Amino acid sequence: MKIELTLAEWHKNQAITCFNETWELIDKKERTTEEDLLMIHKAHASCYHWGEIGESLNRARGEWLVSRVYSLTNQADSALYHAQRSFNECLSSGIKDVNLAFAYEALSHAYLKKGQQAMYKKYYRLALEASESIHESANKTYFLEELHKIKPRF
């Protein structure tokens, strides 16, 4: 049995698949250099596919994911670039709640990787403040767990 997908359905399927595969790599305790590169490619692929058919929320999340993998692979400039894109998408589209909090988290994490202590602290504080507006308690708990994974080494 052959299943026919519309182009939009295909893009959505690819975006979700790549997002989930990126998370599998993020959650891996130890990654090889090749797995780091695969993680970056999958994050970009997810972001691309959401950009083709998604809405502002999907684009903000996609940029956040790309920023996260660049932070994890210590590529601070790229992490900051995509964190800023996620944040800008949130601001321009009125996205709030957990997604805005994660945009602040991404900026904080990127500045941490750049070694910019003052900016790291600023966005970490803004992320904590934004977490106060997260409506769903499970989302708030998850966000705070992720935020506290950021460990400064100043």
Side-chain angles (χ1 to χ4, degrees), residues 18-19 21-26 28 31-46 65 69 73 75:
C18 290
F19 187 93
E21 290 174 356
T22 302
W23 267 111
E24 289 174 13
L25 290 163
I26 286 171
K28 228 178 151 180
R31 288 181 307 277
T32 65
T33 302
E34 292 78 22
E35 288 171 325
D36 280 347
L37 184 58
L38 182 61
M39 181 175 64
I40 291 167
H41 288 322
K42 287 187 178 288
H44 274 287
S46 179
L65 181 66
V69 299
T73 57
Q75 297 181 60

Side-chain angles (χ1 to χ4, degrees), residues 61 96-103 133-134 139-140 142-143:
R61 288 177 178 172
K96 298 193 182 323
D97 203 78
V98 70
N99 295 288
L100 179 60
F102 268 115
S133 299
I134 297 174
N139 283 345
K140 184 174 185 175
Y142 177 72
F143 170 75

